[in-house]
Amino acid sequence: MKEKNQGLTAREVEQSRVKHGENVLTPPRRQSMWRLYLEKYNDPMVRILLVAALVSLVLAFVKDDYIETLGIIAAVLLATTVGFYFERDAARKFDVLTQLGEEQPVKVVRDGQVVEIPRREVVVGDVVVVETGDEVPADGQLFESTDLQVDESSLTGEPMTHKAVPVDQQAVNGEAYPKDMMLRSSMVMGGTGRYVVSAVGDATEIGHVARQATELTGVKTPLNIQLDRLAKLISKIGGVVATASFLIFLIHDMLTNDLWQTDDYLGMVEVVLRYFMMAVTLIVMAVPEGLPMAVTLALALNMRRMLKSNNLVRKLQASETMGAVTVICTDKTGTLTENRMTVSDVRRTKEDRIGDPSDLFKAIALNTTATHEVGNPTEQALLRWLVSQGVDYEQLREENPMTSREPFSTERKYMSTTVGDVTYIKGAPEIVMEKCSIEADMRQQMEAQLRDWQQHAMRTLAIAQDKTLLAIVAISDPLRKEVPEAIGQCRQAGIDVKIVTGDTSATAQEIARQIGIEGDVMTGSDFAAMSDEEALQRITSLKVMSRARPTDKQRLVSLLQQQGEVVAVTGDGTNDAPALNRAHVGLSLGSGTSVAKQASDITLIDDSFRSIVQAVMWGRSLYKNIQRFVFFQLVVNVTALLLVLFGSLIGTELPLTITQILWINLIMDTFAAMALASLPPSREVMHERPRSRDAFIITHGMMRGIGFIGGLFFIFMGSLLWYFERVAGVDDVELTVFFTIFVMLQWWNLFNARMLGSTHSAFRRLWACKAFLMVLMLVLVGQWLIVTFGGQMFRTVPLSWQTWLYIFIGTSPVLWVGEVYRRVKGWKVM
């Protein structure tokens, strides 16, 4: 013991540092700026656009017209840059929120003297001195302690553990770590101790957990999966249509054109090249240039809005993934409860009521080593109760100086303080009550009350003065007020909530009862003993897992994912970090540990479970906004694609020029992305079931709508084109009218896209959608400017106001038919 109390010499410190390294947790590797930017090009739709840009560039060399190529490149740069900017902005906010304090002072013994050094300079072999309020700087083995109580909730979920030097080195009472093991990041809540450091930095328990929390899991988000499928579908359709068109037109030309009967090989090559150019144009048109912009803009706007509702989103797609969540695995302490011990009830004895009522106040104020802000959480709760009763406990201490004190120990299970000739006792009720003289009736009443409190997972204490029992007290970590309602909303939305905690089974079950969660209960050790096959059969009905270790939480998340669930994990401790990292969405608390925040995708700044419900609502609404844009843009593209094919079939020039297509496919679609991405969330989505993880982003209803509306638009526009070509004759006025009618059809259809999947009128809450209305005005003004001043560049001529009025009114049935359809659909639902 003497050698330990001398600590290390300066030379031994340097040798230990060389051998074991500094006491610093290696931060997760930061990606360089350019790598982070290049990641944006992994988006499946962006990759398709890059291929389209390459093909368009080849075509541009032949036609000597680079406008289409520049438009596609602009769309790519816009989408990737916006996504990069918002993610970097969130990362900067996150860094400010989670900075580590490696310079905080630590008391160690060096050369026989107690000195203070920065936490990072602690080495293996150091003797560390800890007392109330200190954070344990490194792992080690305790060799001296006095009433040492440690909060290990950041690692185990257990808010209070008594540390001592045991006879053996085994864990006691099923606890996660031995009684004499001190763990980095735990907090000393009471008493004092000395221990020898055995591990620093990454070699500590928290270091091991932190590495698991930063491993790349390769878990794809539901949005990524569905955009992959959409990209493949668009590639196949574009390729098939383009190839078929090329072959059909080439074969038709060969059968009807005498050119193929001559030796004019140059003319043949020119014909083949013309049809090839048409096929490439079809491929380019099939690609929805505005989709990456729409998705990125929707995610970015959602990120900003969620920040206002106390959700700091670190990864863009995490906000959408929340909308697909089917299971939430939540920690208890700090997430469901306030992580603030509170006196729930005080039952005074008859003797106390007859005697001096201040005796109980003195017993609480004097028989403690804490204050209401620092120290053992249980003692803090008692002192806060005193303050609420209007008692100045510090004044009581000054007026009644302590004579002697017997600290709490796990063996005695009580603490006593003597003031003059009066001894105050506080501790386990069964121990304290045995030391008191109590009437039989009163004892029975007290024991019945204690059993009732304990059945409700409350901690119980007895407080006595000499041999007189003054009171019994119930202390609990109160449930957050908003949690029951938030849990109910999750269940209404079809989301299964599971409690996974390191706390005791009784406490976990009581919390589950209070928030309305019913189902199987299991301990972490029982879960760990199961095979994967057995566990997979149980996890659906499992609702509460107590005494869970970090590996248990991580395994549960992995098994749920194997079952096809989209899993969100909430937690605030280092012990939650591996599961936070493994989940589809990790939700850390703003008051949580730095490791937990680093492992998460979203940080709940206000620690409120209600914010999780808000995140689900935002995610589901965002996904609907993306679907609305996909619906709108594919109607545009299907109509334009069919018109180009029809125009080639009847022998006319391109009914829409490259610059007009650029306006329709890029400018107008970008405006549409802004309009639909900015739509506010709807609480109606919380009455729906979570969408299937494997469900295609284009539903059967959307597919029918795209085909039906796109087909009607094509029939109308195709008939108009045929009329101009065969009857009225094609000139610049007719082509300008044709172009404007096409745009106005899509303009009116934007109202229908906004109400996709709804039975409400398109005018419902329309004035609340200011961005949507602004975009509608921008499209109208933009179309008028292009028609009036576009000239040769856009192949347009100015139109009279009467013509504009006819076009505006003549295309409006697109909205009125949609209104009738929604009204009829609403009647069927009713």
Side-chain angles (χ1 to χ4, degrees):
M1 191 69 68
K2 183 178 179 180
E3 292 181 1
K4 288 183 178 178
N5 284 327
Q6 290 298 311
L8 299 177
T9 65
R11 182 179 179 184
E12 289 171 335
V13 168
E14 289 305 317
Q15 289 174 342
S16 180
R17 184 173 290 119
V18 170
K19 183 176 181 180
H20 300 285
E22 282 197 324
N23 186 34
V24 177
L25 296 178
T26 303
R29 180 179 296 177
R30 293 277 185 180
Q31 287 184 313
S32 61
M33 299 280 282
W34 67 272
R35 280 186 177 275
L36 189 63
Y37 178 70
L38 289 178
E39 268 192 359
K40 304 298 109 187
Y41 287 85
N42 287 331
D43 184 284
M45 296 309 303
V46 170
R47 290 200 298 267
I48 283 190
L49 278 181
L50 290 174
V51 173
L54 182 62
V55 174
S56 178
L57 183 61
V58 173
L59 187 62
F61 279 117
V62 177
K63 298 168 60 177
D64 195 27
D65 186 348
Y66 298 90
I67 293 179
E68 179 74 22
T69 305
L70 292 175
I72 296 175
I73 292 174
V76 171
L77 292 175
L78 197 58
T80 54
T81 303
V82 167
F84 169 75
Y85 169 76
F86 279 105
E87 284 200 4
R88 284 297 302 165
D89 185 54
R92 283 193 294 269
K93 290 184 175 67
F94 180 79
D95 289 339
V96 171
L97 188 68
T98 61
Q99 285 181 347
L100 293 172
E102 295 295 352
E103 300 302 321
Q104 69 183 44
V106 175
K107 292 183 288 293
V108 299
V109 180
R110 296 273 176 89
D111 293 315
Q113 301 293 321
V114 177
V115 296
E116 282 194 350
I117 63 172
R119 181 172 68 178
R120 66 185 302 128
E121 294 184 9
V122 174
V123 299
V124 172
D126 259 331
V127 173
V128 177
V129 181
V130 290
E131 55 190 21
T132 303
D134 288 345
E135 180 178 348
V136 178
D139 290 2
Q141 188 173 8
L142 191 68
F143 68 86
E144 180 182 304
S145 67
T146 302
D147 190 24
L148 187 59
Q149 300 170 72
V150 178
D151 179 356
E152 290 184 346
S153 60
S154 65
L155 269 164
T156 67
E158 181 63 44
M160 186 54 58
T161 302
H162 295 284
K163 292 294 183 179
V165 184
V167 175
D168 62 334
Q169 302 300 314
Q170 301 300 315
V172 180
N173 296 328
E175 292 186 359
Y177 297 99
K179 283 287 188 182
D180 64 344
M181 186 174 182
M182 301 293 286
L183 301 170
R184 176 179 169 134
S185 84
S186 55
M187 297 294 297
V188 178
M189 308 307 292
T192 61
R194 294 190 177 201
Y195 73 94
V196 178
V197 174
S198 59
V200 295
D202 291 338
T204 60
E205 286 294 307
I206 193 176
H208 296 154
V209 176
R211 277 201 298 277
Q212 288 179 297
T214 56
E215 291 174 355
L216 295 177
T217 61
V219 176
K220 270 199 168 187
T221 68
L223 183 61
N224 269 334
I225 294 171
Q226 297 185 32
L227 289 179
D228 278 334
R229 291 182 62 186
L230 181 60
K232 291 176 182 176
L233 177 66
I234 290 173
S235 298
K236 289 178 181 178
I237 292 177
V240 169
V241 171
T243 303
S245 301
F246 174 76
L247 293 175
I248 289 172
F249 282 109
L250 185 61
I251 293 172
H252 178 268
D253 196 276
M254 292 175 66
L255 295 175
T256 58
N257 195 333
D258 293 336
L259 174 66
W260 299 95
Q261 307 298 324
T262 67
D263 295 332
D264 186 4
Y265 298 110
L266 187 60
M268 296 179 187
V269 171
E270 186 177 348
V271 170
V272 172
L273 185 59
R274 184 173 73 248
Y275 289 136
F276 175 76
M277 289 165 59
M278 181 201 70
V280 171
T281 302
L282 291 175
I283 291 176
V284 173
M285 286 187 64
V287 178
E289 290 97 328
L291 184 55
M293 178 63 193
V295 172
T296 302
L297 189 59
L299 291 170
L301 287 174
N302 214 53
M303 175 186 284
R304 286 294 177 88
R305 286 167 169 170
M306 288 178 69
L307 182 58
K308 292 180 180 178
S309 61
N310 295 309
N311 290 278
L312 175 58
V313 182
R314 295 181 60 211
K315 300 175 183 177
L316 277 178
Q317 291 185 332
S319 57
E320 182 280 329
T321 306
M322 277 303 299
V325 164
T326 58
V327 177
I328 297 176
C329 296
T330 177
D331 186 32
K332 178 190 73 68
T333 306
T335 308
L336 302 178
T337 64
E338 296 179 0
N339 196 19
R340 181 181 172 89
M341 302 304 289
T342 303
V343 173
S344 300
D345 200 357
V346 177
R347 177 80 179 272
R348 297 186 180 186
T349 63
K350 181 173 64 175
E351 289 84 352
D352 177 57
R353 290 195 292 271
I354 293 174
D356 185 353
S358 67
D359 286 344
L360 177 60
F361 299 154
K362 288 180 181 179
I364 294 174
L366 305 179
N367 190 23
T368 179
T369 58
T371 70
H372 69 284
E373 294 179 343
V374 178
N376 183 289
T378 300
E379 294 187 347
Q380 287 185 56
L382 289 170
L383 293 174
R384 284 195 293 268
W385 179 78
L386 278 188
V387 173
S388 71
Q389 301 297 310
V391 177
D392 186 345
Y393 67 86
E394 291 183 346
Q395 183 178 347
L396 286 176
R397 290 176 181 176
E398 290 177 2
E399 296 173 350
N400 300 273
M402 176 188 68
T403 304
S404 64
R405 174 168 292 156
E406 193 176 17
F408 181 92
S409 72
T410 54
E411 291 77 20
R412 288 190 304 272
K413 295 186 178 180
Y414 72 87
M415 173 184 184
S416 66
T417 297
T418 301
V419 178
D421 58 354
V422 179
T423 299
Y424 300 103
I425 304 173
K426 174 185 66 187
E430 66 274 15
I431 302 297
V432 175
M433 289 170 69
E434 282 298 319
K435 295 179 177 294
C436 300
S437 299
I438 311 173
E439 294 180 1
D441 289 345
M442 178 60 65
R443 181 180 290 273
Q444 289 179 358
Q445 293 177 25
M446 291 293 172
E447 289 176 346
Q449 182 64 76
L450 288 167
R451 283 194 298 271
D452 180 66
W453 286 341
Q454 289 163 358
Q455 287 173 0
H456 288 85
M458 296 182 184
R459 296 184 180 185
T460 56
L461 288 173
I463 300 172
Q465 176 182 319
D466 293 325
K467 292 186 178 182
T468 301
L469 181 67
L470 299 178
I472 55 174
V473 182
I475 297 177
S476 65
D477 184 4
L479 193 71
R480 290 181 178 272
K481 294 179 181 179
E482 76 277 3
V483 168
E485 180 184 359
I487 294 292
Q489 291 174 336
C490 286
R491 294 171 64 183
Q492 186 181 48
I495 300 172
D496 185 21
V497 180
K498 301 180 187 295
I499 299 176
V500 188
T501 177
D503 215 330
T504 63
S505 182
T507 301
Q509 289 184 67
E510 173 59 19
I511 292 297
R513 184 194 67 79
Q514 292 181 28
I515 62 179
I517 293 180
E518 299 178 355
D520 286 357
V521 179
M522 188 186 304
T523 64
S525 56
D526 290 340
F527 181 69
M530 289 183 175
S531 66
D532 283 355
E533 292 73 19
E534 292 173 324
L536 282 169
Q537 294 176 357
R538 289 287 302 277
I539 58 176
T540 300
S541 60
L542 176 66
K543 298 298 181 183
V544 179
M545 184 187 293
S546 61
R547 290 299 189 192
R549 295 190 180 192
T551 51
D552 300 327
K553 297 183 182 184
Q554 189 178 29
R555 182 183 180 217
L556 175 63
V557 171
S558 298
L559 291 175
L560 286 168
Q561 289 173 337
Q562 285 183 34
Q563 286 192 333
E565 306 285 0
V566 179
V567 185
V569 171
T570 72
D572 63 342
T574 303
N575 59 315
D576 302 311
L580 288 169
N581 182 55
R582 177 68 58 178
H584 290 99
V585 184
L587 298 144
S588 62
L589 304 189
S591 61
T593 65
S594 297
V595 174
K597 293 173 186 174
Q598 290 284 358
S600 65
D601 304 295
I602 299 174
T603 297
L604 308 177
I605 298 174
D606 61 354
D607 292 1
S608 174
F609 202 92
R610 186 186 292 117
S611 296
I612 300 174
V613 178
Q614 291 288 104
V616 172
M617 182 183 71
W618 278 107
R620 291 187 177 186
S621 298
L622 182 147
Y623 185 76
K624 279 194 174 293
N625 288 348
I626 294 174
Q627 283 186 311
R628 288 165 178 146
F629 180 78
V630 169
F631 170 81
F632 174 79
Q633 187 164 40
L634 290 185
V635 167
V636 175
N637 286 12
V638 164
T639 307
L641 198 66
L642 293 174
L643 281 174
V644 171
L645 281 173
F646 182 71
S648 300
L649 191 63
I650 64 175
T652 187
E653 294 183 9
L654 281 175
L656 298 171
T657 66
I658 294 296
T659 51
Q660 289 173 351
I661 291 173
L662 183 63
W663 161 251
I664 294 168
N665 271 13
L666 177 61
I667 309 302
M668 187 174 175
D669 290 347
T670 300
F671 285 163
M674 293 168 59
L676 298 174
S678 64
L679 293 177
S682 170
R683 294 197 175 275
E684 294 177 358
V685 298
M686 296 303 290
H687 298 286
E688 302 172 3
R689 303 290 298 178
R691 73 177 189 272
S692 170
R693 181 183 177 186
D694 300 323
F696 191 31
I697 195 168
I698 303 177
T699 64
H700 292 298
M702 287 175 63
M703 193 77 76
R704 289 193 297 270
I706 292 168
F708 180 74
I709 298 175
L712 285 180
F713 285 179
F714 162 67
I715 291 172
F716 177 72
M717 297 300 296
S719 301
L720 190 63
L721 182 64
W722 183 86
Y723 172 78
F724 287 156
E725 176 70 24
R726 295 287 189 259
V727 179
V730 177
D731 59 21
D732 287 344
V733 174
E734 278 75 20
L735 288 175
T736 301
V737 169
F738 180 86
F739 169 47
T740 304
I741 289 175
F742 183 92
V743 170
M744 290 307 301
L745 288 174
Q746 311 307 329
W747 188 85
W748 286 110
N749 196 42
L750 200 55
F751 288 89
N752 295 329
R754 172 179 171 259
M755 304 310 296
L756 180 69
S758 173
T759 58
H760 297 297
S761 168
F763 297 99
R764 182 174 182 262
R765 296 176 60 192
L766 180 61
W767 297 111
C769 305
K770 294 182 176 59
F772 183 83
L773 293 172
M774 185 180 296
V775 167
L776 290 175
M777 290 303 300
L778 283 173
V779 173
L780 275 180
V781 172
Q783 183 65 20
W784 180 81
L785 290 173
I786 286 175
V787 167
T788 306
F789 304 105
Q792 186 176 358
M793 181 179 179
F794 281 91
R795 199 184 65 184
T796 58
V797 295
L799 299 177
S800 65
W801 69 268
Q802 294 93 338
T803 304
W804 273 103
L805 184 61
Y806 293 148
I807 293 174
F808 188 82
I809 296 174
T811 54
S812 65
V814 173
L815 171 61
W816 310 129
V817 171
E819 286 288 278
V820 172
Y821 171 77
R822 284 186 288 275
R823 179 61 60 88
V824 172
K825 186 179 177 181
W827 288 338
K828 290 182 178 179
V829 171
M830 295 172 61

